[in-house]
Amino acid sequence: MMHNQMAYMANQAYRGAATSVPPLKAVSMLLGGAITFLQKSLAAQEARRFEEGHEYLMRATAILRGLSHNLDFPNGGTVAEQVFQTYNAMILASLKAFGRPHARANFGRIIAGLAELREAWEFVDTTARGGTAVPADSVRRG
């Protein structure tokens, strides 16, 4: 029951964000939310608060599920299918990593992948609006 409620809430969050901000910005924001929830899940796991960690994990996967179910397959074709598979792979990897001995390393890779995906969507959003985006890895730090 709780799982369906979370999926419903994630879908509503996606739809709400999609109507108040441009779609690509909404995707970026939602991926950021999934990253935050995975980080909180990992922190809770490491503090041995597994129930809290599981709750955060369910929120993160609900966001990814909502994103995957709102892809435009008729217009997106192969790209939509690949993005769908990517979201689902991230969901499965997160579920498999939870509570495992190497959770920190596994969650780190998942979070890094989601961050890279978010940066890619931000780049697409910026270039679609006619701006000049600079890839994050080409910016000098420090």
Side-chain angles (χ1 to χ4, degrees), residues 30-46 52-64 90-91 93-95 97-98 103-104 106-115:
L30 289 164
L31 287 171
I35 290 167
T36 299
F37 285 132
L38 288 175
Q39 290 168 333
K40 288 181 176 185
S41 176
L42 179 60
Q45 289 175 66
E46 289 177 339
E52 179 184 339
H54 186 264
E55 182 68 27
Y56 286 129
L57 176 65
M58 291 297 99
R59 289 180 182 187
T61 57
I63 290 171
L64 296 174
M90 295 292 195
I91 292 167
S94 298
L95 294 171
F98 183 78
R104 172 164 280 291
N106 293 335
F107 269 70
R109 284 191 295 273
I110 295 162
I111 290 167
L114 289 172

Side-chain angles (χ1 to χ4, degrees), residues 2-139:
M2 180 64 116
H3 179 70
N4 287 338
Q5 181 183 11
M6 289 242 246
Y8 174 78
M9 289 171 33
N11 197 15
Q12 290 302 101
Y14 174 83
R15 290 183 187 281
T19 59
S20 62
V21 297
L24 292 177
K25 179 69 174 167
V27 170
S28 175
M29 291 168 55
L30 289 164
L31 287 171
I35 290 167
T36 299
F37 285 132
L38 288 175
Q39 290 168 333
K40 288 181 176 185
S41 176
L42 179 60
Q45 289 175 66
E46 289 177 339
R48 306 198 62 74
R49 296 187 316 266
F50 292 105
E51 190 171 317
E52 179 184 339
H54 186 264
E55 182 68 27
Y56 286 129
L57 176 65
M58 291 297 99
R59 289 180 182 187
T61 57
I63 290 171
L64 296 174
R65 192 173 311 101
L67 286 168
S68 72
H69 289 293
N70 284 286
L71 292 168
D72 185 354
F73 289 97
N75 291 320
T78 304
V79 173
E81 182 59 36
Q82 290 173 342
V83 172
F84 179 81
Q85 290 174 5
T86 299
Y87 288 146
N88 283 318
M90 295 292 195
I91 292 167
L92 290 174
S94 298
L95 294 171
K96 287 180 181 179
F98 183 78
R100 301 282 193 238
H102 301 291
R104 172 164 280 291
N106 293 335
F107 269 70
R109 284 191 295 273
I110 295 162
I111 290 167
L114 289 172
E116 190 173 325
L117 187 58
R118 181 183 62 192
E119 287 176 13
W121 283 121
E122 288 170 353
F123 178 81
V124 170
D125 182 37
T126 303
T127 56
R129 288 184 285 121
T132 54
V134 178
D137 61 350
S138 67
V139 176

